[in-house]
Amino acid sequence: MKALHFLVAILFINTLSAQNFTGKAIYKTSRKSTISFGKNQPGITDKMQEELKKRMQKMNQKTFILEFDKTTSTYKEDVKLDNPNPMAARSGVMVMSFGGSGSTDVYYKNIKDQTFSNKTQIMGKPFLVKDKLELYNWELSSETKNIGMYTCYKASYTKEVENISFSMVNGESKEAKTKETVTTTAWYTTQIPISNGPKDYQGLPGLILEINDGKSLIVCTEIELNPEKEIKISEPEKGKIVSKKKFIKIQKKKNDEMMEKMKSRKGVELGNGIQIKMGG
């Protein structure tokens, strides 16, 4: 297997140095919701719970665009405005989204320098998270499958992660933290010889077309190489500059504040144009 890894790496380097191209890849994402309410909650009927779950599931199904050249890329959501849902309002459960958290994010990667800049926000406050890219300990496999017209190879890595789930019990929000070992599986193609992929994923000898960590799935549905319309990739500049570690600390503080608000209300303003209300 080590010989296979070495051969793939050499072929990747030779192919990449011989080509100079740009491209655009479209990814569809979906994620399992961790929100639950339990049974017989005051003011929350089964119908209301079902409606809210459907709305949250829809919010977790998104489309993203990766624009790339040999060494840099930007990854951002392809935002479309949803039509108002009058049924949601009449059911007593209302989830309103105007762009939504993350809809204006731009994730910039510089593969050559192994750095990233993520333009994002927390409850409307802009941040620019700048740090080193994560080094994934990928294990390459000879297993293959086709995604569209591309032959893809399997790679995976395993790590321990902390999961945070939210629930509503007797009108109060509850937060539960658990740790588990998660295996993330990637499928990449050496037919597009760039060490890149969706979100912060990278480090394989070809473009990553699919990522699955058991809870979220990202699948490439369309690729356009060397498009007629010129692709210009630039690093985002606006926002308070913080490290990844600092941003996670700020994010946790804001989440804790939000949970405190939910304990004393039937609803909460999440920021970024998102509001959840339960009851009449």
Side-chain angles (χ1 to χ4, degrees):
M1 184 60 69
K2 289 184 178 180
L4 171 63
H5 293 184
F6 179 76
L7 177 59
V8 170
I10 293 297
L11 290 174
F12 167 64
I13 294 170
N14 289 340
T15 306
L16 183 57
S17 62
Q19 296 188 40
N20 182 17
F21 57 80
T22 61
K24 179 170 69 173
I26 309 298
Y27 291 88
K28 300 288 186 180
T29 72
S30 60
R31 183 175 179 84
K32 295 179 182 178
S33 175
T34 58
I35 292 182
S36 63
F37 296 91
K39 296 182 179 180
N40 302 320
Q41 296 299 316
I44 306 177
T45 65
D46 291 343
K47 184 177 180 181
M48 291 163 62
Q49 288 192 38
E50 188 63 29
E51 181 63 34
L52 182 55
K53 287 179 181 179
K54 288 180 180 178
R55 296 287 289 170
M56 295 300 294
Q57 185 65 30
K58 185 177 180 181
M59 290 172 64
N60 286 333
Q61 296 172 341
K62 300 179 180 181
T63 301
F64 287 82
I65 301 173
L66 177 73
E67 293 185 324
F68 57 85
D69 57 26
K70 280 202 308 183
T71 59
T72 64
S73 67
T74 56
Y75 184 74
K76 55 189 176 183
E77 185 179 349
D78 183 18
V79 180
K80 294 181 176 62
L81 292 176
D82 291 333
N83 293 325
N85 186 348
M87 290 301 295
R90 287 201 295 269
S91 69
V93 178
M94 186 160 45
V95 180
M96 298 178 292
S97 176
F98 301 95
S101 177
S103 64
T104 59
D105 287 13
V106 177
Y107 194 96
Y108 168 89
K109 277 180 282 188
N110 188 315
I111 302 300
K112 182 179 179 180
D113 296 340
Q114 284 293 289
T115 59
F116 74 88
S117 296
N118 183 22
K119 182 177 80 69
T120 185
Q121 55 181 311
I122 299 177
M123 296 183 179
K125 185 175 180 180
F127 288 88
L128 188 60
V129 186
K130 298 170 72 77
D131 220 317
K132 289 288 186 179
L133 286 169
E134 182 174 351
L135 296 177
Y136 293 103
N137 187 26
W138 294 110
E139 293 185 13
L140 305 187
S141 166
S142 58
E143 185 177 345
T144 65
K145 75 173 183 177
N146 289 334
I147 297 179
M149 61 182 288
Y150 296 96
T151 300
C152 295
Y153 296 86
K154 183 180 179 181
S156 61
Y157 77 94
T158 301
K159 72 174 183 178
E160 187 177 68
V161 299
E162 180 180 74
N163 291 320
I164 301 176
S165 60
F166 301 96
S167 61
M168 295 292 292
V169 180
N170 296 324
E172 291 191 3
S173 59
K174 299 290 184 179
E175 176 183 320
K177 295 182 180 180
T178 58
K179 288 188 176 181
E180 64 175 322
T181 300
V182 174
T183 297
T184 298
T185 300
W187 293 91
Y188 66 95
T189 177
T190 56
Q191 292 171 258
I192 305 177
I194 60 168
S195 184
N196 213 329
K199 294 181 66 176
D200 59 344
Y201 293 108
Q202 35 73 41
L204 286 167
L207 180 65
I208 298 171
L209 301 190
E210 182 179 312
I211 286 283
N212 190 342
D213 64 5
K215 294 184 178 179
S216 61
L217 176 66
I218 306 174
V219 180
C220 182
T221 58
E222 181 182 342
I223 297 175
E224 184 179 6
L225 298 178
N226 297 317
E228 292 184 5
K229 185 178 179 181
E230 183 182 2
I231 291 178
K232 294 182 178 180
I233 298 170
S234 57
E235 184 176 358
E237 298 178 347
K238 295 183 179 180
K240 181 180 179 180
I241 298 176
V242 294
S243 66
K244 182 178 179 180
K245 184 177 180 180
K246 178 67 174 178
F247 181 76
I248 291 174
K249 185 176 180 180
I250 295 171
Q251 196 173 43
K252 183 182 184 304
K253 180 181 178 181
K254 293 298 182 182
N255 286 340
D256 290 344
E257 291 174 358
M258 184 184 72
M259 293 302 296
E260 286 299 318
K261 291 180 181 179
M262 290 186 70
K263 289 179 181 179
S264 59
R265 302 181 184 180
K266 288 185 177 181
V268 64
E269 173 63 49
L270 301 182
N272 299 329
I274 299 178
Q275 186 181 49
I276 294 179
K277 292 183 179 179
M278 290 163 283

